[in-house]
mmCIF file of all heavy atoms in Angstrom:
data_model
loop_
_atom_site.group_PDB
_atom_site.id
_atom_site.type_symbol
_atom_site.label_atom_id
_atom_site.label_comp_id
_atom_site.label_asym_id
_atom_site.label_seq_id
_atom_site.Cartn_x
_atom_site.Cartn_y
_atom_site.Cartn_z
ATOM 1 N N SER A 1 127.212 213.034 141.456
ATOM 2 C CA SER A 1 126.780 214.383 141.074
ATOM 3 C C SER A 1 125.855 215.011 142.109
ATOM 4 O O SER A 1 125.462 216.167 141.992
ATOM 5 C CB SER A 1 126.067 214.342 139.716
ATOM 6 O OG SER A 1 124.867 213.573 139.809
ATOM 7 N N GLY A 2 125.500 214.230 143.132
ATOM 8 C CA GLY A 2 124.659 214.763 144.198
ATOM 9 C C GLY A 2 123.189 214.435 144.076
ATOM 10 O O GLY A 2 122.393 214.829 144.926
ATOM 11 N N GLN A 3 122.770 213.700 143.047
ATOM 12 C CA GLN A 3 121.354 213.361 142.876
ATOM 13 C C GLN A 3 120.973 212.203 143.786
ATOM 14 O O GLN A 3 121.685 211.211 143.888
ATOM 15 C CB GLN A 3 121.040 212.990 141.431
ATOM 16 C CG GLN A 3 119.562 212.659 141.201
ATOM 17 C CD GLN A 3 119.251 212.384 139.758
ATOM 18 O OE1 GLN A 3 119.995 212.777 138.863
ATOM 19 N NE2 GLN A 3 118.139 211.711 139.502
ATOM 20 N N GLU A 4 119.827 212.350 144.452
ATOM 21 C CA GLU A 4 119.334 211.318 145.338
ATOM 22 C C GLU A 4 118.492 210.302 144.566
ATOM 23 O O GLU A 4 117.714 210.670 143.697
ATOM 24 C CB GLU A 4 118.456 211.913 146.446
ATOM 25 C CG GLU A 4 119.198 212.753 147.459
ATOM 26 C CD GLU A 4 118.263 213.270 148.544
ATOM 27 O OE1 GLU A 4 117.058 212.910 148.513
ATOM 28 O OE2 GLU A 4 118.716 214.043 149.394
ATOM 29 N N THR A 5 118.662 209.035 144.908
ATOM 30 C CA THR A 5 117.757 207.986 144.447
ATOM 31 C C THR A 5 117.144 207.362 145.685
ATOM 32 O O THR A 5 117.850 206.755 146.503
ATOM 33 C CB THR A 5 118.489 206.903 143.631
ATOM 34 O OG1 THR A 5 119.028 207.491 142.455
ATOM 35 C CG2 THR A 5 117.517 205.788 143.232
ATOM 36 N N VAL A 6 115.842 207.567 145.852
ATOM 37 C CA VAL A 6 115.167 207.037 147.036
ATOM 38 C C VAL A 6 114.899 205.549 146.834
ATOM 39 O O VAL A 6 114.294 205.142 145.845
ATOM 40 C CB VAL A 6 113.847 207.786 147.296
ATOM 41 C CG1 VAL A 6 113.065 207.126 148.429
ATOM 42 C CG2 VAL A 6 114.133 209.239 147.649
ATOM 43 N N LEU A 7 115.356 204.749 147.781
ATOM 44 C CA LEU A 7 115.106 203.314 147.738
ATOM 45 C C LEU A 7 113.771 202.978 148.372
ATOM 46 O O LEU A 7 113.067 202.079 147.912
ATOM 47 C CB LEU A 7 116.229 202.557 148.442
ATOM 48 C CG LEU A 7 117.632 202.785 147.868
ATOM 49 C CD1 LEU A 7 118.663 202.018 148.676
ATOM 50 C CD2 LEU A 7 117.680 202.375 146.403
ATOM 51 N N LYS A 8 113.417 203.711 149.417
ATOM 52 C CA LYS A 8 112.138 203.448 150.059
ATOM 53 C C LYS A 8 111.795 204.554 151.049
ATOM 54 O O LYS A 8 112.684 205.138 151.662
ATOM 55 C CB LYS A 8 112.176 202.100 150.795
ATOM 56 C CG LYS A 8 110.797 201.573 151.188
ATOM 57 C CD LYS A 8 110.854 200.121 151.620
ATOM 58 C CE LYS A 8 109.463 199.549 151.794
ATOM 59 N NZ LYS A 8 109.496 198.131 152.202
ATOM 60 N N LEU A 9 110.503 204.833 151.176
ATOM 61 C CA LEU A 9 109.991 205.649 152.268
ATOM 62 C C LEU A 9 109.415 204.676 153.286
ATOM 63 O O LEU A 9 108.440 203.981 153.014
ATOM 64 C CB LEU A 9 108.907 206.623 151.774
ATOM 65 C CG LEU A 9 109.352 207.693 150.789
ATOM 66 C CD1 LEU A 9 108.166 208.590 150.423
ATOM 67 C CD2 LEU A 9 110.487 208.532 151.347
ATOM 68 N N LEU A 10 110.046 204.603 154.434
ATOM 69 C CA LEU A 10 109.678 203.598 155.425
ATOM 70 C C LEU A 10 108.470 204.030 156.234
ATOM 71 O O LEU A 10 108.298 205.204 156.566
ATOM 72 C CB LEU A 10 110.850 203.346 156.375
ATOM 73 C CG LEU A 10 112.144 202.846 155.732
ATOM 74 C CD1 LEU A 10 113.202 202.671 156.811
ATOM 75 C CD2 LEU A 10 111.925 201.543 154.976
ATOM 76 N N GLU A 11 107.640 203.067 156.567
ATOM 77 C CA GLU A 11 106.493 203.274 157.428
ATOM 78 C C GLU A 11 106.729 202.565 158.754
ATOM 79 O O GLU A 11 107.596 201.685 158.842
ATOM 80 C CB GLU A 11 105.220 202.770 156.741
ATOM 81 C CG GLU A 11 104.908 203.528 155.444
ATOM 82 C CD GLU A 11 103.637 203.044 154.787
ATOM 83 O OE1 GLU A 11 103.086 202.015 155.242
ATOM 84 O OE2 GLU A 11 103.200 203.691 153.823
ATOM 85 N N PRO A 12 105.981 202.937 159.810
ATOM 86 C CA PRO A 12 106.187 202.320 161.123
ATOM 87 C C PRO A 12 106.188 200.789 161.057
ATOM 88 O O PRO A 12 105.391 200.172 160.353
ATOM 89 C CB PRO A 12 105.011 202.850 161.945
ATOM 90 C CG PRO A 12 104.761 204.215 161.349
ATOM 91 C CD PRO A 12 104.971 204.021 159.875
ATOM 92 N N GLY A 13 107.126 200.203 161.789
ATOM 93 C CA GLY A 13 107.283 198.759 161.808
ATOM 94 C C GLY A 13 108.491 198.282 161.023
ATOM 95 O O GLY A 13 108.987 197.179 161.245
ATOM 96 N N ALA A 14 108.973 199.117 160.086
ATOM 97 C CA ALA A 14 110.073 198.708 159.209
ATOM 98 C C ALA A 14 111.414 198.778 159.931
ATOM 99 O O ALA A 14 111.673 199.693 160.717
ATOM 100 C CB ALA A 14 110.102 199.592 157.970
ATOM 101 N N PHE A 15 112.283 197.806 159.624
ATOM 102 C CA PHE A 15 113.653 197.816 160.103
ATOM 103 C C PHE A 15 114.550 198.407 159.019
ATOM 104 O O PHE A 15 114.272 198.261 157.825
ATOM 105 C CB PHE A 15 114.125 196.395 160.416
ATOM 106 C CG PHE A 15 113.460 195.780 161.613
ATOM 107 C CD1 PHE A 15 112.297 195.043 161.472
ATOM 108 C CD2 PHE A 15 114.005 195.948 162.878
ATOM 109 C CE1 PHE A 15 111.674 194.478 162.577
ATOM 110 C CE2 PHE A 15 113.390 195.380 163.990
ATOM 111 C CZ PHE A 15 112.220 194.643 163.837
ATOM 112 N N PHE A 16 115.653 199.039 159.418
ATOM 113 C CA PHE A 16 116.598 199.569 158.445
ATOM 114 C C PHE A 16 117.987 199.670 159.062
ATOM 115 O O PHE A 16 118.137 199.745 160.279
ATOM 116 C CB PHE A 16 116.140 200.920 157.897
ATOM 117 C CG PHE A 16 115.955 202.008 158.930
ATOM 118 C CD1 PHE A 16 116.908 203.000 159.091
ATOM 119 C CD2 PHE A 16 114.819 202.054 159.729
ATOM 120 C CE1 PHE A 16 116.743 204.013 160.034
ATOM 121 C CE2 PHE A 16 114.635 203.064 160.670
ATOM 122 C CZ PHE A 16 115.603 204.043 160.823
ATOM 123 N N GLY A 17 118.993 199.649 158.166
ATOM 124 C CA GLY A 17 120.378 199.711 158.619
ATOM 125 C C GLY A 17 120.929 198.379 159.076
ATOM 126 O O GLY A 17 122.070 198.303 159.539
ATOM 127 N N GLU A 18 120.150 197.287 158.905
ATOM 128 C CA GLU A 18 120.583 196.001 159.445
ATOM 129 C C GLU A 18 121.748 195.375 158.679
ATOM 130 O O GLU A 18 122.321 194.374 159.127
ATOM 131 C CB GLU A 18 119.407 195.014 159.517
ATOM 132 C CG GLU A 18 118.882 194.523 158.193
ATOM 133 C CD GLU A 18 117.934 195.504 157.532
ATOM 134 O OE1 GLU A 18 117.703 196.599 158.079
ATOM 135 O OE2 GLU A 18 117.426 195.167 156.459
ATOM 136 N N VAL A 19 122.128 195.972 157.543
ATOM 137 C CA VAL A 19 123.268 195.426 156.800
ATOM 138 C C VAL A 19 124.548 195.445 157.636
ATOM 139 O O VAL A 19 125.444 194.621 157.425
ATOM 140 C CB VAL A 19 123.467 196.212 155.481
ATOM 141 C CG1 VAL A 19 123.971 197.625 155.761
ATOM 142 C CG2 VAL A 19 124.430 195.480 154.556
ATOM 143 N N VAL A 20 124.637 196.346 158.618
ATOM 144 C CA VAL A 20 125.849 196.399 159.448
ATOM 145 C C VAL A 20 125.991 195.156 160.321
ATOM 146 O O VAL A 20 127.076 194.892 160.844
ATOM 147 C CB VAL A 20 125.900 197.679 160.319
ATOM 148 C CG1 VAL A 20 125.984 198.925 159.449
ATOM 149 C CG2 VAL A 20 124.694 197.755 161.254
ATOM 150 N N LEU A 21 124.914 194.394 160.477
ATOM 151 C CA LEU A 21 125.021 193.128 161.198
ATOM 152 C C LEU A 21 125.907 192.142 160.446
ATOM 153 O O LEU A 21 126.605 191.324 161.045
ATOM 154 C CB LEU A 21 123.633 192.500 161.376
ATOM 155 C CG LEU A 21 122.711 193.104 162.436
ATOM 156 C CD1 LEU A 21 121.317 192.543 162.265
ATOM 157 C CD2 LEU A 21 123.246 192.824 163.830
ATOM 158 N N ILE A 22 125.856 192.230 159.112
ATOM 159 C CA ILE A 22 126.575 191.273 158.273
ATOM 160 C C ILE A 22 127.943 191.813 157.877
ATOM 161 O O ILE A 22 128.962 191.150 158.016
ATOM 162 C CB ILE A 22 125.744 190.946 157.020
ATOM 163 C CG1 ILE A 22 124.388 190.368 157.446
ATOM 164 C CG2 ILE A 22 126.486 189.981 156.110
ATOM 165 C CD1 ILE A 22 123.387 190.253 156.324
ATOM 166 N N GLU A 23 127.942 193.049 157.377
ATOM 167 C CA GLU A 23 129.203 193.629 156.912
ATOM 168 C C GLU A 23 130.019 194.214 158.055
ATOM 169 O O GLU A 23 131.225 194.343 157.964
ATOM 170 C CB GLU A 23 128.910 194.708 155.861
ATOM 171 C CG GLU A 23 128.254 194.144 154.605
ATOM 172 C CD GLU A 23 128.096 195.190 153.525
ATOM 173 O OE1 GLU A 23 128.381 196.369 153.782
ATOM 174 O OE2 GLU A 23 127.674 194.823 152.416
ATOM 175 N N GLN A 24 129.326 194.606 159.142
ATOM 176 C CA GLN A 24 129.981 195.168 160.322
ATOM 177 C C GLN A 24 130.970 196.278 159.932
ATOM 178 O O GLN A 24 132.096 196.337 160.401
ATOM 179 C CB GLN A 24 130.688 194.058 161.106
ATOM 180 C CG GLN A 24 129.739 193.018 161.644
ATOM 181 C CD GLN A 24 130.426 191.946 162.457
ATOM 182 O OE1 GLN A 24 131.640 191.920 162.546
ATOM 183 N NE2 GLN A 24 129.664 191.056 163.058
ATOM 184 N N GLY A 25 130.498 197.121 159.069
ATOM 185 C CA GLY A 25 131.350 198.214 158.620
ATOM 186 C C GLY A 25 130.592 199.513 158.564
ATOM 187 O O GLY A 25 130.370 200.162 159.588
ATOM 188 N N SER A 26 130.163 199.893 157.369
ATOM 189 C CA SER A 26 129.500 201.180 157.187
ATOM 190 C C SER A 26 128.132 201.000 156.543
ATOM 191 O O SER A 26 127.846 199.972 155.925
ATOM 192 C CB SER A 26 130.370 202.093 156.319
ATOM 193 O OG SER A 26 130.606 201.492 155.054
ATOM 194 N N TYR A 27 127.304 202.017 156.710
ATOM 195 C CA TYR A 27 125.975 202.003 156.107
ATOM 196 C C TYR A 27 126.103 202.261 154.601
ATOM 197 O O TYR A 27 126.767 203.214 154.195
ATOM 198 C CB TYR A 27 125.092 203.080 156.725
ATOM 199 C CG TYR A 27 124.823 202.868 158.200
ATOM 200 C CD1 TYR A 27 125.427 203.683 159.162
ATOM 201 C CD2 TYR A 27 123.965 201.875 158.640
ATOM 202 C CE1 TYR A 27 125.184 203.504 160.511
ATOM 203 C CE2 TYR A 27 123.711 201.680 159.990
ATOM 204 C CZ TYR A 27 124.319 202.499 160.914
ATOM 205 O OH TYR A 27 124.072 202.314 162.256
ATOM 206 N N PRO A 28 125.452 201.460 153.757
ATOM 207 C CA PRO A 28 125.546 201.649 152.311
ATOM 208 C C PRO A 28 124.544 202.669 151.778
ATOM 209 O O PRO A 28 124.538 202.964 150.584
ATOM 210 C CB PRO A 28 125.243 200.252 151.765
ATOM 211 C CG PRO A 28 124.292 199.680 152.766
ATOM 212 C CD PRO A 28 124.740 200.213 154.107
ATOM 213 N N VAL A 29 123.693 203.193 152.649
ATOM 214 C CA VAL A 29 122.667 204.160 152.264
ATOM 215 C C VAL A 29 122.594 205.239 153.332
ATOM 216 O O VAL A 29 123.246 205.149 154.373
ATOM 217 C CB VAL A 29 121.283 203.483 152.107
ATOM 218 C CG1 VAL A 29 121.287 202.460 150.976
ATOM 219 C CG2 VAL A 29 120.865 202.810 153.431
ATOM 220 N N SER A 30 121.774 206.255 153.061
ATOM 221 C CA SER A 30 121.510 207.303 154.046
ATOM 222 C C SER A 30 120.081 207.183 154.555
ATOM 223 O O SER A 30 119.205 206.673 153.849
ATOM 224 C CB SER A 30 121.721 208.689 153.424
ATOM 225 O OG SER A 30 123.039 208.848 152.947
ATOM 226 N N ALA A 31 119.847 207.665 155.761
ATOM 227 C CA ALA A 31 118.509 207.629 156.358
ATOM 228 C C ALA A 31 118.220 208.986 156.996
ATOM 229 O O ALA A 31 118.976 209.453 157.852
ATOM 230 C CB ALA A 31 118.415 206.527 157.406
ATOM 231 N N VAL A 32 117.116 209.600 156.564
ATOM 232 C CA VAL A 32 116.724 210.922 157.059
ATOM 233 C C VAL A 32 115.234 210.897 157.395
ATOM 234 O O VAL A 32 114.428 210.330 156.645
ATOM 235 C CB VAL A 32 116.995 212.014 155.995
ATOM 236 C CG1 VAL A 32 116.432 213.356 156.442
ATOM 237 C CG2 VAL A 32 118.482 212.139 155.736
ATOM 238 N N ALA A 33 114.873 211.515 158.509
ATOM 239 C CA ALA A 33 113.462 211.631 158.878
ATOM 240 C C ALA A 33 112.819 212.739 158.050
ATOM 241 O O ALA A 33 113.306 213.871 158.054
ATOM 242 C CB ALA A 33 113.326 211.939 160.363
ATOM 243 N N ILE A 34 111.755 212.420 157.328
ATOM 244 C CA ILE A 34 111.068 213.459 156.561
ATOM 245 C C ILE A 34 109.783 213.910 157.258
ATOM 246 O O ILE A 34 109.075 214.779 156.762
ATOM 247 C CB ILE A 34 110.791 213.023 155.110
ATOM 248 C CG1 ILE A 34 109.941 211.768 155.056
ATOM 249 C CG2 ILE A 34 112.099 212.793 154.370
ATOM 250 C CD1 ILE A 34 109.533 211.398 153.635
ATOM 251 N N GLN A 35 109.500 213.302 158.393
ATOM 252 C CA GLN A 35 108.470 213.762 159.311
ATOM 253 C C GLN A 35 109.029 213.568 160.721
ATOM 254 O O GLN A 35 109.994 212.819 160.910
ATOM 255 C CB GLN A 35 107.180 212.942 159.159
ATOM 256 C CG GLN A 35 106.485 213.074 157.818
ATOM 257 C CD GLN A 35 105.276 212.167 157.729
ATOM 258 O OE1 GLN A 35 105.248 211.095 158.318
ATOM 259 N NE2 GLN A 35 104.278 212.581 156.975
ATOM 260 N N ASP A 36 108.445 214.233 161.702
ATOM 261 C CA ASP A 36 108.837 213.950 163.080
ATOM 262 C C ASP A 36 108.658 212.452 163.315
ATOM 263 O O ASP A 36 107.573 211.899 163.077
ATOM 264 C CB ASP A 36 107.972 214.734 164.057
ATOM 265 C CG ASP A 36 108.272 216.229 164.018
ATOM 266 O OD1 ASP A 36 109.331 216.603 163.501
ATOM 267 O OD2 ASP A 36 107.423 217.014 164.492
ATOM 268 N N SER A 37 109.705 211.801 163.754
ATOM 269 C CA SER A 37 109.696 210.344 163.838
ATOM 270 C C SER A 37 110.275 209.858 165.163
ATOM 271 O O SER A 37 110.906 210.608 165.904
ATOM 272 C CB SER A 37 110.504 209.731 162.675
ATOM 273 O OG SER A 37 109.990 210.133 161.421
ATOM 274 N N ARG A 38 110.055 208.585 165.393
ATOM 275 C CA ARG A 38 110.571 207.929 166.598
ATOM 276 C C ARG A 38 111.102 206.570 166.176
ATOM 277 O O ARG A 38 110.399 205.826 165.476
ATOM 278 C CB ARG A 38 109.455 207.780 167.621
ATOM 279 C CG ARG A 38 109.879 207.443 169.030
ATOM 280 C CD ARG A 38 108.636 207.356 169.889
ATOM 281 N NE ARG A 38 108.945 207.229 171.302
ATOM 282 C CZ ARG A 38 108.190 206.565 172.172
ATOM 283 N NH1 ARG A 38 107.089 205.951 171.764
ATOM 284 N NH2 ARG A 38 108.527 206.501 173.434
ATOM 285 N N VAL A 39 112.321 206.247 166.560
ATOM 286 C CA VAL A 39 112.911 204.974 166.149
ATOM 287 C C VAL A 39 113.435 204.215 167.353
ATOM 288 O O VAL A 39 113.743 204.802 168.405
ATOM 289 C CB VAL A 39 114.052 205.173 165.125
ATOM 290 C CG1 VAL A 39 113.560 205.927 163.900
ATOM 291 C CG2 VAL A 39 115.251 205.887 165.759
ATOM 292 N N LEU A 40 113.535 202.917 167.182
ATOM 293 C CA LEU A 40 114.166 202.045 168.168
ATOM 294 C C LEU A 40 115.575 201.759 167.679
ATOM 295 O O LEU A 40 115.767 201.256 166.570
ATOM 296 C CB LEU A 40 113.379 200.742 168.289
ATOM 297 C CG LEU A 40 113.956 199.669 169.213
ATOM 298 C CD1 LEU A 40 113.929 200.144 170.661
ATOM 299 C CD2 LEU A 40 113.181 198.370 169.058
ATOM 300 N N ARG A 41 116.578 202.120 168.486
ATOM 301 C CA ARG A 41 117.975 201.849 168.136
ATOM 302 C C ARG A 41 118.390 200.523 168.758
ATOM 303 O O ARG A 41 118.293 200.324 169.975
ATOM 304 C CB ARG A 41 118.884 202.972 168.646
ATOM 305 C CG ARG A 41 120.350 202.818 168.226
ATOM 306 C CD ARG A 41 121.206 203.920 168.818
ATOM 307 N NE ARG A 41 122.576 203.858 168.319
ATOM 308 C CZ ARG A 41 123.519 203.046 168.821
ATOM 309 N NH1 ARG A 41 123.226 202.248 169.846
ATOM 310 N NH2 ARG A 41 124.738 203.048 168.302
ATOM 311 N N ILE A 42 118.848 199.596 167.896
ATOM 312 C CA ILE A 42 119.181 198.239 168.329
ATOM 313 C C ILE A 42 120.671 197.994 168.096
ATOM 314 O O ILE A 42 121.109 197.871 166.951
ATOM 315 C CB ILE A 42 118.356 197.198 167.545
ATOM 316 C CG1 ILE A 42 116.863 197.533 167.620
ATOM 317 C CG2 ILE A 42 118.629 195.792 168.074
ATOM 318 C CD1 ILE A 42 115.995 196.711 166.690
ATOM 319 N N PRO A 43 121.488 197.935 169.132
ATOM 320 C CA PRO A 43 122.931 197.707 168.945
ATOM 321 C C PRO A 43 123.199 196.307 168.415
ATOM 322 O O PRO A 43 122.521 195.341 168.772
ATOM 323 C CB PRO A 43 123.502 197.917 170.353
ATOM 324 C CG PRO A 43 122.362 197.691 171.266
ATOM 325 C CD PRO A 43 121.127 198.109 170.549
ATOM 326 N N CYS A 44 124.200 196.201 167.560
ATOM 327 C CA CYS A 44 124.475 194.936 166.877
ATOM 328 C C CYS A 44 124.941 193.830 167.825
ATOM 329 O O CYS A 44 124.534 192.671 167.680
ATOM 330 C CB CYS A 44 125.533 195.146 165.799
ATOM 331 S SG CYS A 44 124.993 196.203 164.445
ATOM 332 N N GLY A 45 125.808 194.161 168.792
ATOM 333 C CA GLY A 45 126.390 193.144 169.659
ATOM 334 C C GLY A 45 125.363 192.271 170.352
ATOM 335 O O GLY A 45 125.338 191.040 170.159
ATOM 336 N N PRO A 46 124.476 192.853 171.171
ATOM 337 C CA PRO A 46 123.472 192.039 171.864
ATOM 338 C C PRO A 46 122.542 191.315 170.887
ATOM 339 O O PRO A 46 122.125 190.185 171.152
ATOM 340 C CB PRO A 46 122.704 193.077 172.698
ATOM 341 C CG PRO A 46 123.670 194.189 172.882
ATOM 342 C CD PRO A 46 124.454 194.255 171.613
ATOM 343 N N PHE A 47 122.238 191.949 169.765
ATOM 344 C CA PHE A 47 121.324 191.320 168.814
ATOM 345 C C PHE A 47 121.944 190.072 168.190
ATOM 346 O O PHE A 47 121.255 189.066 167.978
ATOM 347 C CB PHE A 47 120.936 192.317 167.723
ATOM 348 C CG PHE A 47 119.854 191.812 166.812
ATOM 349 C CD1 PHE A 47 118.520 191.922 167.162
ATOM 350 C CD2 PHE A 47 120.174 191.219 165.594
ATOM 351 C CE1 PHE A 47 117.524 191.446 166.333
ATOM 352 C CE2 PHE A 47 119.177 190.742 164.755
ATOM 353 C CZ PHE A 47 117.853 190.855 165.124
ATOM 354 N N MET A 48 123.231 190.117 167.880
ATOM 355 C CA MET A 48 123.889 188.971 167.254
ATOM 356 C C MET A 48 123.793 187.728 168.133
ATOM 357 O O MET A 48 123.678 186.601 167.629
ATOM 358 C CB MET A 48 125.347 189.300 166.968
ATOM 359 C CG MET A 48 125.549 190.283 165.826
ATOM 360 S SD MET A 48 124.992 189.645 164.237
ATOM 361 C CE MET A 48 126.251 188.405 163.910
#
């Protein structure tokens, strides 16, 4: 119906989206910056 359920508001230091390491498919959640933010993007291949 379009209603959002927030699972968490992340603070600096938190990792997210790592489920793709295991399922290697699609993200099961959405991630949006609600403040100006900076993230480290970690590709799955080298990390594995």
Side-chain angles (χ1 to χ4, degrees):
S1 64
Q3 181 176 340
E4 291 182 3
T5 297
V6 173
L7 301 178
K8 195 167 189 179
L9 295 181
L10 300 179
E11 298 181 351
F15 291 91
F16 59 102
E18 69 279 2
V19 70
V20 296
L21 284 169
I22 301 169
E23 296 186 354
Q24 297 182 355
S26 59
Y27 296 107
V29 296
S30 301
V32 173
I34 59 174
Q35 295 176 328
D36 290 343
S37 302
R38 195 179 188 212
V39 303
L40 176 66
R41 185 183 186 278
I42 308 170
C44 294
F47 188 84
M48 288 296 289

